Amino acid sequence: MTKIDVHTHFLPESYVETLKRHGINWTGGVGMSAWTPEKHLAFMDEWGIEVGVLSCLAETGMYFGDQREANELARNVNDYGAQIVRAHPTRFGIFGALPLPSVDAALAEVDHIYDGLGLDGIYLVSNVAGTYVGDPAWEPLYAELDRRHATVLVHPVEPRETPDLPWQHWIGEYVFDTTRVFMTLVFNGVLDRYPGINWIMSHGGGTVPYISGRLATAPRVNEQYRAVGRRPMSEYLRSVYYDIAVADAPVMVNTMVDAVGADRMLFGTDWPYSHDVFDIPEPGEHDPVKLLGVELGARVGRATALRLLPGVSRRLVHDIG
């Protein structure tokens, strides 16, 4: 079965140059080797991946302390991503980058992403300079994404403040940051006010499926959460989507199925950051059909992604026609 990879990355030269200018020589725990469409396509062919939906990010997304630089960088990254899709319309999709924290700049780039370039969706990093996705400061952005029925991939970055830990933060802090996003979206009422946004939580939602029972206790324990949470927590869990990139161990997949259902799960690889994970696999490892069986595996591997990404679906249908 061919698969749609909703969580995979690319690193344009302009982006890598910006990272190095800010003293960043690695990201996500690995070094930044040169990315090319050809290398990526070779990986996809080996793993039976029909379409890779790319996003470009490192430790802080587009923002490194200078808003003007963030505006220019997001525009360059998105324009380059559009070129990749035009060159390989049935193999790649792109989630567009936004130059937050400026809401005005982000709204202008949303217009460019959809109306100028026709990209497939948006990606947001979990926090920008300590402001989390779901914060009221970005309310106009949520309203616009809701109006466009946008599909939005949320990817973790390092929290603004972390203790001095004896391991790299991507190992644990990234998944905790994704969890913080989900909680912020719920308890700030964003999921209720803007139901038109298709949120995809990276890496199986961080720890969200696992602590779903704990989250459900909040309204019973504290009155303020009863006022905010208009629906049972189980409904909030099923109002977003979860990719299985670096979250496809059987215990993790089974927990997701129990907590949110296979219809809310999507295939992802996190390649090239996960290159070593896919380097010497066991036969069938990472295959949603092996993990879930033919029917559920087909939904996770392809069908749900095509529903959330109509641009990708149209390009594939046009190619078949």
Side-chain angles (χ1 to χ4, degrees):
M1 181 195 75
T2 59
K3 298 176 283 293
I4 309 294
D5 183 355
V6 303
H7 182 156
T8 190
H9 302 300
F10 73 122
L11 289 170
E13 185 176 344
S14 63
Y15 191 70
V16 173
E17 289 175 353
T18 301
L19 293 177
K20 291 181 177 179
R21 191 165 62 248
H22 289 279
I24 300 172
N25 296 305
W26 64 277
T27 180
V30 299
M32 294 181 293
S33 59
W35 179 92
T36 67
E38 292 73 24
K39 287 182 181 179
H40 207 125
L41 288 168
F43 163 74
M44 291 164 59
D45 289 343
E46 181 180 358
W47 282 91
I49 297 169
E50 184 176 12
V51 181
V53 188
L54 304 172
S55 53
C56 169
L57 70 139
E59 304 309 300
T60 60
M62 297 292 114
Y63 183 72
F64 301 87
D66 184 327
Q67 186 62 55
R68 179 176 295 181
E69 176 189 64
N71 298 349
E72 295 175 355
L73 185 58
R75 180 60 55 91
N76 289 340
V77 164
N78 293 334
D79 288 349
Y80 178 66
Q83 292 176 25
I84 295 172
V85 174
R86 285 195 292 269
H88 307 278
T90 62
R91 301 306 308 276
F92 287 120
I94 298 283
F95 287 120
L98 298 185
L100 290 165
S102 170
V103 172
D104 288 342
L107 288 171
E109 196 59 29
V110 168
D111 289 343
H112 183 62
I113 286 169
Y114 282 105
D115 302 332
L117 300 177
L119 303 190
D120 298 295
I122 303 290
Y123 81 83
L124 299 174
V125 294
S126 52
N127 81 85
V128 180
T131 298
Y132 277 82
V133 175
D135 190 281
W138 297 344
E139 197 82 8
L141 176 61
Y142 313 139
E144 178 61 13
L145 295 176
D146 182 76
R147 185 184 74 82
R148 291 182 178 272
H149 298 284
T151 294
V152 180
L153 175 73
V154 178
H155 195 285
V157 292
E158 187 171 324
R160 188 173 189 177
E161 296 181 5
T162 55
D164 185 15
L165 300 169
W167 55 77
Q168 293 178 340
H169 291 157
W170 67 269
I171 298 173
E173 298 306 306
Y174 276 24
V175 295
F176 303 146
D177 228 45
T178 304
T179 305
R180 293 183 185 103
V181 169
F182 176 80
M183 295 172 67
T184 304
L185 290 171
V186 171
F187 293 124
N188 278 345
V190 174
L191 296 183
D192 288 313
R193 290 194 299 279
Y194 304 110
I197 303 173
N198 298 310
W199 300 97
I200 301 174
M201 301 286 118
S202 293
H203 307 129
T207 67
V208 169
Y210 179 75
I211 66 169
S212 57
R214 186 181 185 92
L215 293 173
T217 65
R220 297 199 293 270
V221 172
N222 192 307
E223 184 177 355
Q224 76 181 83
Y225 299 123
R226 288 197 291 275
V228 173
R230 303 174 187 175
R231 295 177 279 163
M233 187 58 66
S234 60
E235 291 188 19
Y236 287 116
L237 262 72
R238 291 180 174 88
S239 67
V240 303
Y241 296 84
Y242 306 79
D243 73 51
I244 63 171
V246 199
D248 60 2
V251 65
M252 302 170 79
V253 170
N254 291 334
T255 299
M256 277 185 270
V257 171
D258 289 343
V260 305
D263 285 342
R264 291 283 156 173
M265 296 162 59
L266 298 154
F267 178 74
T269 65
D270 209 359
W271 197 88
Y273 298 139
S274 61
H275 176 272
D276 290 340
V277 175
F278 285 83
D279 190 22
I280 309 176
E282 297 177 6
E285 190 179 17
H286 314 292
D287 188 336
V289 169
K290 179 183 179 182
L291 294 166
L292 294 167
V294 174
E295 181 182 354
L296 296 186
R299 295 183 205 171
V300 174
R302 194 173 190 273
T304 301
L306 290 177
R307 179 167 54 81
L308 294 181
L309 300 166
V312 170
S313 182
R314 284 192 298 270
R315 292 196 295 274
L316 292 176
V317 170
H318 178 75
D319 182 65
I320 292 172

